[in-house]
Structure formats: C-alpha cells, structure tokens
C-alpha cells in the first residue's frame, strides 16, 4: 500500500506560507507556516499532523489487539502530544506522549495496559520515530 501527502511553500521562512494536502482529500490546501508552527497562530503544522497520525495509528492498532484478546472497545480516545525541541543542528521531535482514555467492557486494568503497550510498540507510526514514546492509560 502506498499513499501520499504534499506541501506547497512560497516565500521565506518567516514571511512565507504553505499549504498541506493529502491524496484522499481529507486535507485540501490546509494552511501552515512559521507562525502556526512556532508562534501558536491559526493553521496547522507538521508536528500537529504527526500527532494526529500517531494517535490514529495507535488507536486502530489497539482495536486490532483488543479483538485478538476477545475484547471490543466501546470507546477509545487518544491524544498524542508531540515535543519539538531546538537542538544543535536545528530542530528535532524528541518525544511523543500518548494519552489514552478507553471504555472497554470486560477489560481489567493490567490486561488493558499490557495490550495498550503492545499497540504502542507495534503500530507502524510508532516504528517510524526515533523519539521517546511514552503512554498513560485510563480505563473508564
């Protein structure tokens, strides 16, 4: 399977503007730039998109792993907090913290944490990163 995303950029780093799109059309010329990435202004940024992708991948992987264990989630909600740090040669994503809240009938806390950690290690997006990936879980 292959898919793609694209970006267009015009101008300099601080005064320039970009637009990010996905092949599916889920994002169509979503604006991004220096101010949305580093100054908290409106628009998206690569780290936000990475967080959404990681949260989605992890949660979907956990759904598979739960099914293999005979469990089905009533609801799972994952937030991925991506840390971008200044380093000697520029910037680096140093950490991603996944925060999962889930309602899973029949699951006990120990089994839930075991399966969630298995999903954290096994999801394809987790495997992509060199960053430190941490996880907190809340079983509702």
């Amino acid at each position: 399977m292959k898919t793609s995303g694209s970006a267009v950029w015009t101008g300099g780093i601080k005064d320039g503007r970009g637009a990010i799109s996905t092949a599916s059309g889920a994002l169509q010329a979503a604006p991004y730039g220096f101010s949305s990435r580093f100054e908290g202004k409106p628009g998206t940024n690569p780290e936000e998109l990475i967080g959404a992708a990681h949260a989605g991948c992890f949660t979907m992987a956990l759904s598979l792993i739960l099914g293999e264990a005979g469990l089905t989630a009533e609801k799972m909600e994952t937030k991925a907090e991506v840390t971008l740090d200044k380093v000697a040669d520029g910037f680096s994503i140093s950490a991603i913290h996944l925060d999962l809240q889930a309602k899973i009938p029949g699951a006990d806390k120990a089994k839930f944490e075991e399966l969630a950690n298995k999903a954290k290690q096994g999801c394809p997006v987790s495997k992509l990163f060199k960053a430190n990936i941490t996880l907190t879980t809340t079983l509702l």
Side-chain angles (χ1 to χ4, degrees), residues 23-60:
S24 69
L27 289 176
Q28 193 66 18
Y32 81 108
F34 186 89
S35 63
S36 64
R37 192 171 193 185
F38 297 107
E39 298 171 346
K41 302 288 188 205
T44 191
N45 60 69
E47 292 73 31
E48 176 182 69
L49 299 172
I50 287 167
H54 199 183
C57 182
F58 163 77
T59 307
M60 194 173 189

Side-chain angles (χ1 to χ4, degrees), residues 73-106:
E74 186 175 307
K75 181 179 180 182
M76 294 188 287
E77 187 172 339
T78 305
K79 179 181 178 185
E81 183 177 78
V82 178
T83 302
L84 180 69
D85 286 322
K86 178 105 174 84
V87 294
D89 60 347
F91 287 88
S92 177
I93 293 174
S94 60
I96 300 173
H97 180 72
L98 300 170
D99 183 26
L100 167 66
Q101 294 190 12
K103 186 170 185 180
I104 306 168

Side-chain angles (χ1 to χ4, degrees), residues 4 10 23 25 61 73 88 99:
S4 65
T10 57
D99 183 26

